[in-house]
Amino acid sequence: MNLRMMMRIIAYVLFVEAALMIPPVLISLVLHETASVQAFLISIAIIVGVAGFLYAITIKASGKRFYAREGLATTGLSWIFLGALGCLPFVLSGAIPSYVDALFEMVSGFTTTGSSILNNVEILPKGILWWRSFSHWVGGMGVLVFLMSIVSVSGKNQGFTLHIMRSESPGPAVGKMVPRMKDTAKILYWIYTGMTVINIVLLKLGGLSLFDSCCLAFGTAGTGGFGVLNDSFASYSPYIQNVTTLFMLLFSVNFSIYYLILMKNFSAAFGDEEFKLFWAAVFVATAAIAINVRPLYSTLEETIRHSAFTVGTIMSTTGYATTDFDLWPSFAKSIVVLMMFCGACAGSTGGGFKQIRLLLLWRSLRRNLHRSMHPSEVRAIHVNGRAIDEGIIHNTHAYLVAYVIIIIVSVLVISLDGFNFETNFTAVMATLNNIGPGLSQVGPTCNFSGYSDLSKLVLTADMLAGRLEIYPMLILISKSAWKKAR
Amino acid sequence: MNLRMMMRIIAYVLFVEAALMIPPVLISLVLHETASVQAFLISIAIIVGVAGFLYAITIKASGKRFYAREGLATTGLSWIFLGALGCLPFVLSGAIPSYVDALFEMVSGFTTTGSSILNNVEILPKGILWWRSFSHWVGGMGVLVFLMSIVSVSGKNQGFTLHIMRSESPGPAVGKMVPRMKDTAKILYWIYTGMTVINIVLLKLGGLSLFDSCCLAFGTAGTGGFGVLNDSFASYSPYIQNVTTLFMLLFSVNFSIYYLILMKNFSAAFGDEEFKLFWAAVFVATAAIAINVRPLYSTLEETIRHSAFTVGTIMSTTGYATTDFDLWPSFAKSIVVLMMFCGACAGSTGGGFKQIRLLLLWRSLRRNLHRSMHPSEVRAIHVNGRAIDEGIIHNTHAYLVAYVIIIIVSVLVISLDGFNFETNFTAVMATLNNIGPGLSQVGPTCNFSGYSDLSKLVLTADMLAGRLEIYPMLILISKSAWKKAR
């Protein structure tokens, strides 16, 4: 592998991370949170040190070509570095004394999972709280995508940007909105920033402080789920809850739809099959849950509000909660678990298996059934009227296999801690799909602090695997990827 | 579709079923179980009546060709008829008054699942008990395979036997042991019968009555799981338990291995990759469980005996129990759930997902990872040194998709009854994989009687889908299969 080039990119990523710590330093300074100021400054020094070292030893970064596997491995490693060093302020400020806990919390932030090991978030210093929520915003669209939008790549390494973007962006295939990947990355970040600002303004209008509005909007935009209150969204006004439901869902839509809308290509935007599937699923799930949980709430408005919020939070893989859905009847809880399987749309900030993959697998199954009856007919699978490359179908099937294997192995390991099956299964589903809360002992009113360090590390790896869609992590432990290194 | 030919085969299947009811009539006669004698005779009359009707209207069965889809649909329909009419003695004798319950019990028998809705099996008349257990033996190897071994097919319909055998035999690809499928079917039944007789003799030597030995051996041979005592195998001697562990595992092995051994081709037999994977899984699972549950039992012998029996019963998808594994610690229970996913070997009487499919999916995943690094290389997947046809790989992937969809939909529907997630999830796993007991409310000491009729019907369909490996059932509800009928 082209190790030098990989290390150089990681150095850039870490420089960006250090820069992103400046706002929380300022917040801590203004609010006189001395311990936090100190913790952030030391962390920045360490991160800049590591980045500088990586930069220095790769001064003559080789111009060798940069292949798909380098793209995958760079992405995987970058994210591990981001988490491993990004959690330093938590440890150094004393907010989360255990390194494994801090790592879990940080990776949960960057991967936009939102699972927490904290029992009480309200006592956290504001600077720390900002960093925790802001990591959702950074991780939602991706730090490498951000890098690609500002860095100019020399002629030799044109494939480079594409491979990196592919590895970090969710979904089976990354669409280029415009010919140059750099411009695509820029457009994505502009849309992302614009929508986040609108969200902040709407929350502010609902009576929240600017600080809270920002933190909650970061969690919504990245479909993360870290809140600023211990009861998540339960005590906010219906207006705040409904705005958040809407924005969680909006951020789960493929951003290329918004680009199409900006380009006034409405028929392509609203005719997109994944887009239609996603909204159909949202409405059906909300209706089914609302009917099932109706007796638990006094008014119809309340029933629909909590049902829609929960569907929004799970389908978008955000993880906020307005109600303890662990107390819902079995049928509604089964729908919640089912939605954990589905996930958001490709090319959004949402996680999970992705709607487009469900669509591809469903059509592939139908084709196979047809083939078992008419073995000689050859048919392609179409989405939005275009035939899908068979390689993408294969990858999607392989993805399901890897996904199931990860679930099984993870549940097996964490069950050593002795929690019940529902807890373990939904803990893995919630982390692998970057959702946040599960059911039972990891339900909306509980957290992950009860698990052992081993389990926390497994779940941390699951969060990374989920956010990066498995391959960038798998490749790091694949012998054949490293065998031919240099 | 060639409907006449299909109906004719169903008529044959029903004639066989009626004939198989003669032994329980004799048993009931000898033991003066008047109600059972009457119930069986009326049932035989009804079945012969239906079969005769189907036979009569298909006198001039058309010589049109018989395609793969007819094979699949015939198998699916035959099994539905077998269950729907085979359960009549349960209803008519009053042993199981509700038709839905009786249907559940009968399909559970034929599909070798062993899930029961009965609270007390010890009060059942012997004739009924025999029929219940014998259905396992019939269903294990397959009634259509039996039919194919005795029926001679005319020149025009040579493809016919192959399509039927393929649809009913478990596994992604049916190996022909000998050139003619009819001879293959005969060899299978001879091996099956021989091993069953040895099992009966060994149980008899352990002090059981001939009747009990037969019933238990039928359940073991078919990897079914219906016992004759309420506590399943808990009160039998260690000898009986160990013999059963051994035979459950032996019946989970691909029968072509036994044919190879009979042909003295030992290297091919013991070098078979699925065979090796299966035994490796058995030993690893037994060891892991034994270590985990050691504190629960007083002696090491007892620990290993219960661990091995449970691994045998779940991996073989039999469903007997010597101990209440629902009381085991989480880790051991997670292994049990994991084993529910795995299943036995293809071409055995065991159910589940099948070891060979796991092997194919694993190798396909590795190939995909390799391909993501080296997009230009083309590689085939090999098993036992032979390249596997890509069509089989596709089918295996599609199988996983169908399997996951069935699990999700079934859990969703049965969760309407309000049981907890562990109960619902393992109920579906236990029926779809033809195992028998699950965990929690459907654990080894409980049964399925608490579910509503709707849930029982869903689980009945799951048992059929599991035994016939989904496609013969899917095709019955596929529009395009029927569109071009006749």
Side-chain angles (χ1 to χ4, degrees), chain A residues 287-331:
Chain A
I289 289 181
I291 293 168
N292 192 237
V293 303
R294 181 68 191 88
L296 301 182
Y297 300 99
S298 50
T299 68
L300 184 64
E301 182 274 328
E302 214 184 333
T303 312
I304 293 176
R305 175 157 48 85
H306 292 308
S307 305
F309 191 95
T310 305
V311 169
T313 201
I314 303 289
M315 291 283 285
S316 69
T317 72
T318 305
Y320 288 141
T322 55
T323 185
D324 186 1
F325 49 77
D326 191 44
L327 303 176
W328 281 358
S330 305
F331 180 65

Coordinates of all heavy atoms in Angstrom, one line a residue, chain A residues 287-331:
Chain A
A287 N -48.2 5.3 11.2 CA -49.6 4.9 11.3 C -49.7 3.7 12.1 O -50.6 3.6 13.1 CB -50.2 4.7 9.9
A288 N -48.9 2.7 11.8 CA -49.0 1.4 12.6 C -48.7 1.6 14.0 O -49.5 1.0 14.9 CB -48.1 0.4 12.0
I289 N -47.7 2.3 14.3 CA -47.4 2.6 15.7 C -48.5 3.4 16.4 O -48.9 3.1 17.5 CB -46.0 3.3 15.9 CG1 -44.9 2.3 15.5 CG2 -45.8 3.8 17.3 CD1 -43.5 2.9 15.6
A290 N -48.9 4.4 15.8 CA -49.9 5.3 16.4 C -51.2 4.5 16.8 O -51.7 4.6 17.9 CB -50.3 6.4 15.4
I291 N -51.6 3.6 15.9 CA -52.8 2.7 16.2 C -52.5 1.9 17.4 O -53.3 1.7 18.3 CB -53.2 1.9 15.0 CG1 -53.7 2.8 13.9 CG2 -54.2 0.8 15.4 CD1 -53.8 2.1 12.5
N292 N -51.3 1.3 17.4 CA -50.9 0.4 18.5 C -50.7 1.1 19.9 O -51.1 0.5 20.9 CB -49.6 -0.4 18.1 CG -49.3 -1.6 19.0 OD1 -48.3 -1.7 19.6 ND2 -50.3 -2.5 19.1
V293 N -50.2 2.3 19.9 CA -49.9 2.9 21.2 C -51.0 3.9 21.6 O -50.9 4.6 22.6 CB -48.5 3.6 21.2 CG1 -47.4 2.7 20.8 CG2 -48.5 4.8 20.2
R294 N -52.0 4.1 20.8 CA -53.1 5.0 21.1 C -53.6 5.0 22.5 O -53.7 6.1 23.1 CB -54.3 4.8 20.1 CG -55.4 5.8 20.3 CD -55.0 7.2 19.9 NE -56.0 8.2 20.2 CZ -56.1 8.8 21.4 NH1 -55.2 8.5 22.3 NH2 -57.0 9.8 21.7
P295 N -53.8 3.8 23.1 CA -54.3 3.8 24.5 C -53.3 4.4 25.5 O -53.8 4.7 26.6 CB -54.5 2.3 24.8 CG -54.6 1.7 23.4 CD -53.7 2.5 22.5
L296 N -52.1 4.5 25.2 CA -51.1 5.0 26.2 C -51.1 6.5 26.4 O -50.6 7.0 27.3 CB -49.7 4.6 25.8 CG -49.4 3.1 25.6 CD1 -47.9 2.8 25.3 CD2 -49.8 2.3 26.9
Y297 N -51.6 7.2 25.4 CA -51.6 8.7 25.4 C -53.0 9.3 25.5 O -53.9 8.7 25.0 CB -50.8 9.2 24.2 CG -49.4 8.7 24.2 CD1 -49.1 7.6 23.3 CD2 -48.4 9.2 25.0 CE1 -47.8 7.1 23.3 CE2 -47.1 8.7 25.0 CZ -46.8 7.7 24.1 OH -45.5 7.2 24.1
S298 N -53.1 10.4 26.1 CA -54.4 11.0 26.4 C -55.0 11.6 25.1 O -56.2 11.4 24.9 CB -54.4 12.0 27.5 OG -53.4 12.9 27.3
T299 N -54.2 12.3 24.3 CA -54.8 12.9 23.1 C -54.3 12.3 21.8 O -53.2 11.7 21.8 CB -54.5 14.4 23.0 OG1 -53.1 14.6 22.8 CG2 -55.0 15.1 24.3
L300 N -55.0 12.4 20.7 CA -54.6 11.9 19.4 C -53.3 12.7 19.0 O -52.4 12.1 18.4 CB -55.7 12.1 18.4 CG -55.4 11.5 17.0 CD1 -55.3 10.0 17.1 CD2 -56.5 11.9 16.0
E301 N -53.3 14.0 19.2 CA -52.1 14.8 18.9 C -50.9 14.2 19.5 O -49.8 14.0 18.8 CB -52.4 16.3 19.3 CG -51.3 17.2 18.9 CD -50.1 17.3 19.9 OE1 -50.4 17.0 21.2 OE2 -49.0 17.5 19.5
E302 N -50.9 13.9 20.8 CA -49.8 13.4 21.5 C -49.4 12.1 20.9 O -48.2 11.8 20.7 CB -50.2 13.2 23.0 CG -49.1 13.5 24.0 CD -49.6 13.2 25.4 OE1 -50.8 13.3 25.6 OE2 -48.7 12.8 26.2
T303 N -50.3 11.2 20.6 CA -50.1 9.9 20.1 C -49.3 10.0 18.8 O -48.2 9.4 18.6 CB -51.4 9.1 19.8 OG1 -52.2 9.2 20.9 CG2 -51.1 7.7 19.5
I304 N -49.8 10.9 17.9 CA -49.2 11.0 16.6 C -47.8 11.7 16.7 O -46.8 11.3 16.1 CB -50.1 11.8 15.6 CG1 -51.3 11.0 15.3 CG2 -49.3 12.1 14.3 CD1 -52.3 11.7 14.5
R305 N -47.7 12.7 17.6 CA -46.4 13.4 17.8 C -45.3 12.4 18.2 O -44.3 12.3 17.6 CB -46.6 14.5 18.8 CG -45.3 15.2 19.2 CD -45.6 16.6 19.7 NE -46.7 16.7 20.7 CZ -46.5 16.4 22.0 NH1 -45.3 16.2 22.5 NH2 -47.5 16.5 22.8
H306 N -45.7 11.6 19.3 CA -44.6 10.6 19.7 C -44.3 9.5 18.7 O -43.2 9.1 18.6 CB -45.1 10.0 21.1 CG -45.1 11.0 22.2 ND1 -44.0 11.8 22.5 CD2 -46.1 11.3 23.1 CE1 -44.3 12.6 23.6 NE2 -45.6 12.3 23.9
S307 N -45.4 9.1 18.0 CA -45.2 8.0 17.0 C -44.3 8.6 15.9 O -43.3 7.9 15.5 CB -46.5 7.6 16.4 OG -47.4 7.2 17.4
A308 N -44.6 9.7 15.4 CA -43.8 10.3 14.3 C -42.4 10.6 14.7 O -41.4 10.4 14.0 CB -44.5 11.6 13.8
F309 N -42.3 11.1 16.0 CA -40.9 11.5 16.4 C -40.1 10.2 16.5 O -38.9 10.2 16.1 CB -41.0 12.1 17.8 CG -39.7 12.7 18.3 CD1 -39.4 14.1 18.0 CD2 -38.7 12.0 18.9 CE1 -38.2 14.6 18.4 CE2 -37.5 12.5 19.2 CZ -37.2 13.8 19.0
T310 N -40.7 9.1 17.1 CA -39.9 7.9 17.2 C -39.6 7.3 15.9 O -38.5 6.8 15.7 CB -40.7 6.9 18.1 OG1 -41.0 7.5 19.3 CG2 -39.9 5.6 18.3
V311 N -40.5 7.3 14.9 CA -40.2 6.8 13.6 C -39.1 7.7 13.0 O -38.1 7.1 12.4 CB -41.5 6.9 12.7 CG1 -41.1 6.6 11.2 CG2 -42.5 5.8 13.2
G312 N -39.2 9.0 13.2 CA -38.2 9.9 12.6 C -36.8 9.6 13.3 O -35.8 9.5 12.6
T313 N -36.8 9.4 14.6 CA -35.5 9.2 15.3 C -34.9 7.9 14.9 O -33.7 7.8 14.8 CB -35.7 9.4 16.8 OG1 -34.5 9.7 17.4 CG2 -36.3 8.1 17.4
I314 N -35.7 6.8 14.7 CA -35.1 5.5 14.4 C -34.8 5.4 12.9 O -33.7 5.0 12.5 CB -36.1 4.4 14.8 CG1 -36.4 4.5 16.3 CG2 -35.4 3.0 14.5 CD1 -35.3 4.1 17.2
M315 N -35.7 5.8 12.0 CA -35.5 5.7 10.6 C -34.3 6.6 10.2 O -33.5 6.2 9.3 CB -36.7 6.1 9.8 CG -37.9 5.2 9.9 SD -37.7 3.7 8.9 CE -38.0 4.4 7.2
S316 N -34.2 7.7 10.8 CA -33.1 8.6 10.5 C -31.8 8.2 11.2 O -30.7 8.7 11.0 CB -33.4 10.0 10.8 OG -33.4 10.2 12.2
T317 N -31.9 7.2 12.1 CA -30.9 6.8 13.0 C -30.3 7.9 13.9 O -29.1 7.9 14.2 CB -29.7 6.1 12.2 OG1 -29.0 7.1 11.5 CG2 -30.2 5.1 11.2
T318 N -31.2 8.8 14.3 CA -30.7 9.9 15.2 C -30.6 9.4 16.6 O -29.4 9.3 17.1 CB -31.7 11.1 15.1 OG1 -31.8 11.5 13.7 CG2 -31.1 12.2 15.9
G319 N -31.7 9.1 17.2 CA -31.6 8.5 18.5 C -32.1 9.4 19.6 O -32.0 9.1 20.8
Y320 N -32.7 10.6 19.3 CA -33.4 11.4 20.3 C -34.6 10.6 20.8 O -35.1 9.7 20.1 CB -33.8 12.7 19.7 CG -32.7 13.7 19.5 CD1 -32.8 14.5 18.3 CD2 -31.7 13.9 20.3 CE1 -31.8 15.5 18.1 CE2 -30.7 14.8 20.1 CZ -30.7 15.6 19.0 OH -29.8 16.6 18.7
A321 N -35.2 11.0 21.9 CA -36.4 10.4 22.3 C -37.4 11.4 23.0 O -36.9 12.2 23.8 CB -36.1 9.2 23.3
T322 N -38.6 11.3 22.7 CA -39.6 12.1 23.4 C -40.4 11.3 24.4 O -41.1 11.8 25.3 CB -40.6 12.8 22.5 OG1 -41.2 11.7 21.7 CG2 -40.0 13.7 21.5
T323 N -40.3 10.0 24.3 CA -41.1 9.1 25.1 C -40.3 7.8 25.3 O -39.4 7.5 24.4 CB -42.4 8.8 24.4 OG1 -43.3 8.0 25.3 CG2 -42.3 8.0 23.1
D324 N -40.6 7.0 26.3 CA -39.8 5.8 26.6 C -40.5 4.7 25.8 O -41.3 4.0 26.2 CB -39.8 5.5 28.0 CG -38.9 4.3 28.3 OD1 -38.3 3.8 27.4 OD2 -38.8 3.9 29.5
F325 N -40.0 4.5 24.5 CA -40.7 3.5 23.7 C -40.4 2.1 24.1 O -40.9 1.1 23.6 CB -40.3 3.7 22.2 CG -38.9 3.9 21.9 CD1 -38.0 2.8 21.9 CD2 -38.4 5.1 21.5 CE1 -36.7 3.0 21.5 CE2 -37.1 5.3 21.2 CZ -36.2 4.2 21.2
D326 N -39.5 1.9 25.1 CA -39.3 0.6 25.7 C -40.5 0.1 26.5 O -40.7 -1.1 26.7 CB -38.1 0.6 26.6 CG -37.6 -0.8 27.0 OD1 -37.6 -1.7 26.1 OD2 -37.3 -1.0 28.2
L327 N -41.4 1.1 26.8 CA -42.6 0.7 27.5 C -43.8 0.4 26.6 O -44.9 0.1 27.0 CB -43.0 1.8 28.5 CG -41.9 2.2 29.6 CD1 -42.4 3.4 30.4 CD2 -41.6 1.0 30.5
W328 N -43.6 0.6 25.3 CA -44.6 0.3 24.3 C -45.0 -1.1 24.2 O -44.2 -2.0 24.6 CB -44.2 0.8 23.0 CG -44.3 2.3 22.8 CD1 -44.8 3.2 23.7 CD2 -43.9 3.1 21.6 NE1 -44.7 4.5 23.2 CE2 -44.2 4.4 21.9 CE3 -43.3 2.8 20.4 CZ2 -43.9 5.5 21.0 CZ3 -43.1 3.8 19.5 CH2 -43.4 5.1 19.8
P329 N -46.2 -1.5 23.7 CA -46.5 -2.9 23.5 C -45.6 -3.5 22.5 O -44.9 -2.9 21.7 CB -47.9 -2.8 23.0 CG -48.2 -1.4 22.7 CD -47.3 -0.6 23.4
S330 N -45.6 -4.9 22.5 CA -44.6 -5.7 21.7 C -44.7 -5.3 20.2 O -43.6 -5.2 19.6 CB -44.9 -7.2 21.8 OG -44.9 -7.6 23.1
F331 N -45.8 -5.1 19.7 CA -45.9 -4.9 18.3 C -45.2 -3.6 17.9 O -44.4 -3.6 16.9 CB -47.4 -4.8 17.8 CG -47.6 -4.5 16.4 CD1 -47.2 -5.5 15.4 CD2 -48.2 -3.4 15.9 CE1 -47.4 -5.3 14.1 CE2 -48.4 -3.1 14.6 CZ -48.0 -4.1 13.7

